[in-house]
Amino acid sequence: MVDIIYLNYFQNLMVQRPHQLLKQFGKNGYNAILYNMNEKSHRMIEAGENYTVYNGVFPAFSKKNKRILWISYPPLYKQIGRYQEDLLVFDCIDYPGDQFAHWKRGVTELRKKSDVIFVTSNSLYDFNKEFKNKTFLCKNGVDFDLFAQANDGSLTAPKDMMYIKKPIVGYIGAVAAWIDWRLIHYLAASNRFSIVFIGPLLGLKQIPIDSKNVHFLGRKDYNVLADYLSCFDVCMIPFRKSKMTEACNPIKMYEYLSMGKPVVTTDIEECRINLVKYSKLYGEFYKNILDSLGPQSKEEIDLRINFAKENSWENRVKDIRTIIEPFLD
């Protein structure tokens, strides 16, 4: 067995890439550990097969196995060496700029000391080109089994969705400054559909729009996100263009597609795929929504679902293992 330890600095983190990868590593026979360094409640949670979450206190156990230290937040570079790791992995998931400017601290040191660097986008691959001999592209993925539940019609609408007027254009994820709120104002002014945001506020006290057809439902438990998504007629990713969003490979894109839903995005690099309607102008974004509100062919739906299935977290971990395991021999 191999220990794989992920260090999380942030409190109340949404279910994201690290959680998904650890879950799959556990299923693959690894001893997967998520250490939430700054959680105040000191407790252990059995989060899945061979997957344990430790809040506040790291377990004191003797090292018996080969050990991987997995870091995605560069300022944690000072933790290198404290876990008797045999392999150091830097999972480069965001560009250290704009709202993530504080991620710059330690990024050079972490890249130099890492044995392997994974990046989630082509832009981040270019960002790490100085270290390309140990850098590998590993995009985000989807918990396909969870989100594909909608495809058999077994999900029911949550109570807070039942009275929202159809059609519904929806968004899940962090509700933050990187959303193009001018675009949301433009879309809302048409009054042709309801707009729903689901997710935690990040850096905002409230959403910067007050309109009867815009609904903010707040953060929801990860396990019920599929219930909410099943109510959307169109799913959107309305990000402003910046270095940060250009480097982003949105997990929500795969989650939307796994449900066979039409997806409309702004023109960010990682969303320029045939199954997504990406839009350069506000008018084009609006038109793409209207076009997507019509009937969807079975062929279109199946193509989206199959694409998402190919990009499952299960498949991502299979690819990762082919890269990291030779270092552990």
Side-chain angles (χ1 to χ4, degrees):
M1 182 176 277
V2 175
D3 298 333
I4 181 165
I5 301 166
Y6 177 76
L7 304 181
N8 171 44
Y9 180 80
F10 302 98
Q11 291 180 296
N12 301 314
L13 190 67
M14 292 185 297
V15 175
Q16 294 181 326
R17 174 184 173 98
H19 307 82
Q20 302 287 8
L21 293 177
L22 288 172
K23 177 182 173 183
Q24 293 301 325
F25 272 114
K27 289 182 177 180
N28 278 254
Y30 283 61
N31 178 34
I33 296 171
L34 171 61
Y35 176 30
N36 290 321
M37 306 172 69
N38 293 320
E39 290 292 344
K40 294 180 180 178
S41 61
H42 292 183
R43 59 186 181 130
M44 179 192 80
I45 302 168
E46 296 291 344
E49 182 182 356
N50 301 320
Y51 173 27
T52 310
V53 176
Y54 290 91
N55 289 328
V57 178
F58 189 77
F61 59 87
S62 59
K63 181 182 174 184
K64 298 177 182 178
N65 309 316
K66 289 292 183 73
R67 186 171 288 180
I68 301 168
L69 182 62
W70 191 285
I71 296 177
S72 62
Y73 183 49
L76 293 179
Y77 76 96
K78 291 183 179 179
Q79 299 292 317
I80 296 170
R82 294 183 181 181
Y83 299 85
Q84 302 176 56
E85 64 272 8
D86 300 286
L87 182 71
L88 176 63
V89 173
F90 173 31
D91 198 19
C92 184
I93 58 177
D94 282 301
Y95 177 76
D98 301 327
Q99 285 86 0
F100 291 149
H102 57 290
W103 289 47
K104 289 180 181 178
R105 184 165 53 90
V107 71
T108 299
E109 292 88 343
L110 184 55
R111 291 191 293 188
K112 286 179 178 177
K113 293 183 178 181
S114 294
D115 299 295
V116 175
I117 300 172
F118 288 112
V119 295
T120 56
S121 68
N122 292 307
S123 176
L124 289 175
Y125 188 88
D126 291 339
F127 173 66
N128 288 281
K129 61 185 177 182
E130 183 183 347
F131 304 92
K132 64 181 180 180
N133 61 315
K134 59 179 179 180
T135 299
F136 302 88
L137 181 64
C138 178
K139 297 194 176 188
N140 285 321
V142 64
D143 184 346
F144 182 78
D145 291 339
L146 176 67
F147 288 93
Q149 292 178 87
N151 303 322
D152 62 11
S154 62
L155 300 179
T156 56
K159 288 182 180 179
D160 51 356
M161 289 291 297
M162 292 178 66
Y163 303 104
I164 296 177
K165 185 179 177 182
K166 287 275 200 174
I168 295 172
V169 177
Y171 168 93
I172 62 168
V175 180
W178 52 75
I179 290 175
D180 188 339
W181 292 106
R182 288 181 60 192
L183 170 60
I184 303 306
H185 278 274
Y186 177 88
L187 298 174
S190 72
N191 204 29
R192 294 284 298 271
F193 39 78
S194 297
I195 299 173
V196 173
F197 288 94
I198 293 171
L201 291 170
L202 191 62
L204 299 174
K205 293 184 178 179
Q206 61 185 30
I207 63 169
I209 179 170
D210 183 13
S211 179
K212 290 182 179 179
N213 61 330
V214 178
H215 308 266
F216 172 61
L217 303 185
R219 182 174 184 162
K220 303 297 177 184
D221 186 88
Y222 176 74
N223 291 320
V224 300
L225 286 181
D227 300 74
Y228 283 89
L229 275 176
S230 68
C231 301
F232 294 175
D233 297 287
V234 176
C235 301
M236 66 173 177
I237 304 177
F239 288 168
R240 291 188 298 107
K241 289 195 72 169
S242 67
K243 273 194 170 183
M244 187 195 79
T245 58
E246 280 293 286
C248 170
N249 181 246
I251 294 174
K252 61 182 62 61
M253 177 178 71
Y254 302 103
E255 293 170 343
Y256 295 160
L257 292 171
S258 67
M259 304 186 85
K261 298 287 184 178
V263 180
V264 177
T265 80
T266 46
D267 185 32
I268 54 178
E269 181 179 342
E270 292 294 311
C271 291
R272 292 175 194 152
I273 62 174
N274 292 333
L275 300 176
V276 168
K277 293 183 184 294
Y278 48 92
S279 321
K280 293 184 178 180
L281 303 171
Y282 287 4
E284 186 180 7
F285 198 105
Y286 174 66
K287 181 179 183 301
N288 281 334
I289 288 176
L290 295 185
D291 290 346
S292 300
L293 289 173
Q296 306 292 306
S297 71
K298 185 178 184 305
E299 181 183 10
E300 288 177 306
I301 293 170
D302 287 347
L303 283 171
R304 295 169 188 149
I305 293 171
N306 290 334
F307 174 83
K309 190 173 185 178
E310 291 170 2
N311 289 277
S312 68
W313 291 116
E314 180 181 5
N315 286 336
R316 291 289 186 259
V317 166
K318 286 179 182 177
D319 294 338
I320 290 171
R321 288 184 63 188
T322 64
I323 294 167
I324 64 174
E325 289 185 354
F327 287 89
L328 301 171
D329 290 339

